Every structure is written in structure tokens, then in C-alpha cells.
Amino acid sequence: MNRAVFLDRDDTLIANREVTAHTDHPGDLFSPAQVRLLPGVARACRLLKEAGYLLVVVSNQGAVARGRCTWFDVKACNDRMQELIRQESGVGLDGVYFSPFHPKGTVPPYNVEHPTRKPGPGMLVQAAQDLSIDVGGSWMIGDAPRDLQAAIAAGVADDRALLVGRLMNARFSDMPEAASWIVSHTP
């Protein structure tokens, strides 16, 4: 079985708040031209891969349900993110999963609550099945409590679910700092 680091996308791997703050759709990044890796992310991805972890992105993308973008727009942004990580680090992501659902959406069939939408564990469970991942031996890095809740619900130990970013209770300032912690605690 493989070990993985599950990663949130927006404001964990790529800039979102600052990129979309002055648009008519704050928080919804759906243009590949706006995709920017956060500082140190590519190097951190390489470190985690060298430590033997699969890298799996799990991201809510409710803008699809709200009609602000399409499934294809999200995929184009994810493809651009993967391309930047590969160019800057020399390693690739092993999986990219996203949930287009939102219960307050207006676009069927996505305008419902769904088990893949974090804090539900569906994306992590699916990735574990697809990639033969030992969830109990894996980690999660995210910038919102729902990221950690999804990981714990899927079977990641609560001390392996790492909160990064600007929230007061965030343990780490960013994904590279959390990645260094993981590598230093990997036998």
C-alpha cells in the first residue's frame, strides 16, 4: 500500500484569495492564466515525493454548482497547476480530485450536498481506492478546518491532519513548512 499526502488546492498549493479578491467572483479561481503556485510549493512537493509519498490534491470547487464556471474550467486550472509543479519541481502529482457540488448551487446535477464535498471524506476515499493508499499512514495539508475534517473522516490520524495559513489556530504558516514537518517525522 502507498502512503500519500493529501493536499488542498486553493491557498494551500496555489494563490486564490489574493488573485480573486478584486474580481466579481472572490474565492472562485477558474482561469488557468490566474494559476500561481505559492512560494516554495514546488520544492515541497519534490521533498514529499523523495520521502516516498504520493501527492493527491482534493479540492472543493462549488463554483461549478453555482454556475460561475464549468467542470472543464476547473480541469484546465488543475492541469495548469500540475504543469507548473512539474516544471518547477521535476515531479508530478499522482492524483487530482475535485468536487463540483454545492448545496446552494443552481446548476443540476451539482446543486446538492455530496459525500465528495469536504468535510465529507468522499474524495479521499476514492483516491485511496484508486491509488492503493494506506490512509492511516498518510497525511493531509489544508488551509481550512473542513480539509482536516474530511481527512480524519477518511481515516487520517488527527495529528497527521495539518492546518496551514492565516487562521489563528493554524499550526504551520504554509504548505512548505508543513511538508518539512512531515519529512522530518517520516521514518
Side-chain angles (χ1 to χ4, degrees):
M1 300 270 312
N2 297 305
R3 297 178 305 172
V5 177
F6 295 102
L7 301 158
D8 178 53
R9 187 188 87 167
D10 297 329
D11 292 321
T12 300
L13 296 174
I14 64 173
N16 181 331
R17 276 190 224 72
E18 73 178 69
V19 172
T20 63
H22 302 294
T23 68
D24 62 351
H25 49 82
D28 291 331
L29 190 144
F30 49 81
S31 169
Q34 292 181 310
V35 174
R36 306 273 186 278
L37 294 181
L38 290 169
V41 162
R43 182 170 116 46
C45 287
R46 186 176 58 247
L47 288 173
L48 290 169
K49 289 287 279 188
E50 289 171 352
Y53 292 100
L54 299 181
L55 301 178
V56 181
V57 176
V58 289
S59 180
N60 284 349
Q61 294 298 321
V64 175
R66 292 190 308 273
R68 292 192 177 155
C69 68
T70 68
W71 188 94
F72 297 102
D73 295 327
V74 174
K75 180 159 181 352
C77 288
N78 289 341
D79 290 347
R80 179 64 179 147
M81 173 187 63
Q82 290 182 79
E83 177 186 7
L84 291 172
I85 289 172
R86 195 174 302 109
Q87 284 174 354
E88 294 183 29
S89 72
V91 301
L93 300 171
D94 297 287
V96 178
Y97 295 78
F98 70 91
S99 181
F101 299 96
H102 196 289
K104 294 182 180 176
T106 58
V107 179
Y110 305 116
N111 58 336
V112 297
E113 190 57 77
H114 196 275
T116 59
R117 182 173 165 73
K118 295 181 285 184
M123 285 185 281
L124 289 89
V125 170
Q126 186 63 56
Q129 291 172 355
D130 293 347
L131 303 170
S132 299
I133 294 171
D134 169 17
V135 177
S138 296
W139 299 77
M140 175 76 204
I141 302 174
D143 72 320
R146 68 178 169 255
D147 299 323
L148 282 57
Q149 293 164 350
I152 292 165
V156 173
D158 60 351
D159 64 338
R160 289 174 167 249
L162 308 180
L163 186 63
V164 300
R166 303 184 320 184
L167 294 178
M168 285 183 54
N169 58 340
R171 187 169 173 192
F172 301 95
S173 62
D174 56 20
M175 182 271 193
E177 185 179 353
S180 293
W181 170 265
I182 292 170
V183 170
S184 72
H185 288 80
T186 298

